[in-house]
Structure formats: structure tokens, C-alpha cells
Amino acid sequence: MTGRTDRPTGGDDEHLVREAERIAVAIGRMFPGLCEVVLHDLRRPDHAIRVIENNLSGRQVGDPATELGLRRISDPDYPGVIQNYSNRFPDGRPAKSTSIGIKNAEGRYVAALCLNLDVGTLSPLALTLANLVATEVQHGGEVLETLRDRGGRELRSVIDSFAARRSSTPRGLNRDQKSELVGQLHREGFFETRGSAQLIADQLGVSRATVYNYTKQQSR
């Protein structure tokens, strides 16, 4: 819900605040129920809140400026952006906040745009996601399987890539290169797929017995 105070008149400063108001409303409507967006008009510290979207704090339009707003009013050199600081709503819910000061052409703060994210709402989701991606520690990082296609398509791709890196075709590889390739395929688990030895033999233009001899050579 959006509310607005009576706007003071006044040139460029008012234009800045009105533009900030549009931004506050747009951001708030992007995160309904999750992020409170408050625009403080620092020209009127006693009635500073000009817009409040997704009211999670219970404050109202026309309420006074916060401590950060008062510091900016009294000190133009106060940091323009205070980002991702820990905060808390009146009912105790944790929040993550960001406060953005808006200066006029003379370097005075005329407004502040504040975002208060309800992290209490996100905590259960974060826990759920953590549990979802967690793995059992009992295997100590051991790779039990790889979710790869061990069929003919990947096998042919590996063979073709090996040959291409040597500016050759699979059948054009010399004996040592073919032996090296077969050893690589064996280590990577391609021989565990039924019929793979014959497919490798066909790709390399050798017999299946030769393929098995290559594996023995590579395992020595």
C-alpha cells in the first residue's frame, strides 16, 4: 500500500524527490511482501516518510526521520550509501537494510531511499535449499559416478576430438597414438559400456583384439 504526505512546493529539490518516489514505488511492487521500501523527505524531518511500500515495520506516511536521516541532515558529508547492514523490525524479525541518500545540486541531502529486506521470511527457504543440495559426507568426496552419456555418441566425439588435436582422423592415427587413445578411453570408463570395444575398433580401423592389446600395453 502506498501513501503520500502533502508535498511541499519547491523547484529542483521537489523534482528529485518525486523521481525518487517513482523509484520507491517500482522497487516495492517488484518485491511484494518481502522488501519494505521507504522514501524519506529529509526537508521535513518531523514528517519525513513520504512513501512506504510493503509496510513491514508498522510505520506510517508522515512519521519522522530515522537516525540515519537525521545524521544526513546535519552532515552533508555523511556516506551516501549504507549498504546491507543488519536491522530489525519492531516485532523482532531480522532485516537486512540499505539506505541511499539523495543530494541536490548544492550537495545537501533532500531525501533518502531505504530498503528493508525481511530475511526472516527467507531463512526457512535458505535452510530448505541447503538441505536440498547437501550430500552425504560418509563418502569423503569420492566420485561414485559421473552422469555422462557413455553411449556411442560421446565415444565417437572423444575419439574424433583426440584425433583432431593431432591433425588427423581416427584411422589416420599411428600405432602409438591409437594405443594412447585406447588407454585414455579405458581410464575414463568407456569400456564399461557393452559393445564399446567393437565400436572403438571400427572407429580406429583395427580389430577388437588389437584394441584389447592396446589396453594391456597402457596398463603396464
Side-chain angles (χ1 to χ4, degrees):
M1 178 179 179
T2 302
R4 303 176 183 178
T5 60
D6 294 333
R7 297 181 179 132
T9 59
D12 293 341
D13 289 358
E14 177 63 16
H15 177 74
L16 279 175
V17 177
R18 288 187 182 183
E19 289 300 297
E21 182 177 308
R22 294 173 57 243
I23 294 170
V25 171
I27 294 174
R29 291 179 181 175
M30 188 174 180
F31 301 101
L34 184 62
C35 184
E36 179 184 77
V37 184
V38 185
L39 177 65
H40 297 269
D41 186 342
L42 300 183
R43 299 170 300 171
R44 304 178 59 180
D46 292 337
H47 306 281
I49 294 184
R50 176 153 168 168
V51 171
I52 183 163
E53 284 280 336
N54 301 327
N55 193 333
L56 301 175
S57 63
R59 291 175 293 173
Q60 302 296 324
V61 169
D63 280 357
T66 64
E67 295 88 344
L68 279 179
L70 296 176
R71 289 170 190 161
R72 286 193 171 113
I73 292 170
S74 63
D75 182 6
D77 293 327
Y78 195 81
V81 177
I82 308 294
Q83 194 161 22
N84 294 333
Y85 59 92
S86 178
N87 211 336
R88 193 166 292 276
F89 292 112
D91 62 4
R93 285 173 297 161
K96 182 171 78 169
S97 298
T98 291
S99 177
I100 305 164
I102 300 169
K103 286 183 176 181
N104 64 10
E106 287 74 39
R108 297 192 312 274
Y109 284 111
V110 296
L113 182 63
C114 299
L115 313 177
N116 302 308
L117 183 67
D118 185 355
V119 295
T121 301
L122 297 177
S123 294
L125 176 60
L127 179 59
T128 299
L129 291 175
N131 289 334
L132 185 63
V133 302
T135 56
E136 295 291 339
V137 298
Q138 66 189 53
H139 300 296
E142 175 189 1
V143 178
L144 300 180
E145 65 174 346
T146 56
L147 304 179
R148 295 171 59 183
D149 173 17
R150 292 297 184 178
R153 181 182 301 176
E154 185 182 2
L155 179 55
R156 291 188 185 93
S157 177
V158 172
I159 292 173
D160 289 342
S161 296
F162 181 94
R165 289 195 298 271
R166 289 156 181 80
S167 303
S168 177
T169 64
R171 288 175 176 251
L173 294 169
N174 62 39
R175 180 173 179 174
D176 289 342
Q177 290 170 332
K178 289 179 179 179
S179 178
E180 179 187 353
L181 171 59
V182 169
Q184 174 185 323
L185 296 173
H186 188 268
R187 290 190 300 273
E188 293 181 359
F190 284 98
F191 280 80
E192 297 171 9
T193 303
R194 186 176 181 179
S196 60
Q198 185 61 57
L199 179 57
I200 294 169
D202 293 342
Q203 289 289 102
L204 298 182
V206 299
S207 68
R208 189 167 66 171
T210 299
V211 169
Y212 283 119
N213 283 335
Y214 286 153
T215 63
K216 292 177 182 178
Q217 293 172 11
Q218 291 296 316
S219 62
R220 291 174 185 170

